[in-house]
Amino acid sequence: MLPMPESLDGLLPAPLPRGTVAVVAGARSLPLSVVAAVTAEGGHAAIVGQPDVGLLAAVEMGADLSRIAVIPEPGADPVEVAAVLMDGMDLVVLGLGGRAVPATRARAVVARARQKGCTLLVTGGDWQGASARLEASVCGYEITGRGRPGFGRISRVRLATRVWGRSFGSVRAVGG
């Protein structure tokens, strides 16, 4: 099983199995928290097609930067780049930039993910046949250093998360 962040504990009936594909939508902190959980446990992750990824946020969530490969501009075929990276990674986060992956192409990449034991998280697009879908939206913040109104630092973001997939129904939860 893939290590998962504490914010998803109890939300999923079980952690995502290695070799699966999940579509993640909404708050960008959700896939970053998964990257943090995987790398903190000694795994390797790649982030493809997300030139403005917040690596500082990932580090603040516990990520190990020495275990993360970032390919911000994967060229014309980010799906192929992600498929190649599956050879040596536990997790690949793929930004599709609004694209939808055709079913035949998706099946081939899913088969490769299963064979290599790599989990693929797809953001910013659609992937037919994904085994799970996760949506997260910001529902609140915790502020430290409150002095005057409008000053302080966001110490925690609360997410309203919805998860559904073939192996389980729909689940909603609010987490941090």
Side-chain angles (χ1 to χ4, degrees):
M1 297 294 182
L2 190 70
M4 297 303 286
E6 289 179 17
S7 63
L8 291 178
D9 281 351
L11 182 59
L12 296 171
L16 290 174
R18 292 183 185 271
T20 60
V21 176
V23 174
V24 181
R28 295 177 60 183
S29 60
L30 182 59
L32 280 180
S33 68
V34 177
V35 168
V38 168
T39 60
E41 291 288 323
H44 292 87
I47 302 171
V48 179
Q50 297 185 10
D52 56 350
V53 66
L55 292 177
L56 177 59
V59 168
E60 289 177 349
M61 292 177 200
D64 180 349
L65 285 181
S66 70
R67 297 180 168 277
I68 301 173
V70 179
I71 297 83
E73 301 292 341
D77 195 354
V79 175
E80 183 63 27
V81 172
V84 169
L85 287 167
M86 288 180 184
D87 283 349
M89 299 290 164
D90 300 293
L91 172 69
V92 175
V93 178
L94 171 61
L96 288 177
R99 298 179 187 104
V101 177
T104 54
R105 181 89 187 273
R107 282 192 296 272
V109 176
V110 168
R112 184 175 181 87
R114 262 191 225 116
Q115 176 192 20
K116 300 297 180 180
C118 178
T119 300
L120 177 65
L121 293 183
V122 177
T123 67
D126 192 34
W127 190 281
Q128 293 183 7
S131 58
R133 294 185 180 267
L134 298 87
E135 282 183 1
S137 59
V138 175
C139 66
Y141 302 94
E142 292 177 20
I143 307 291
T144 58
R146 292 182 188 214
R148 305 186 327 221
F151 289 88
R153 182 173 174 11
I154 296 173
S155 63
R156 190 175 187 100
V157 176
R158 286 190 306 277
L159 300 177
T161 308
R162 180 175 174 233
V163 179
W164 70 100
R166 290 188 301 253
S167 59
F168 48 91
S170 180
V171 180
R172 287 182 192 261
V174 175

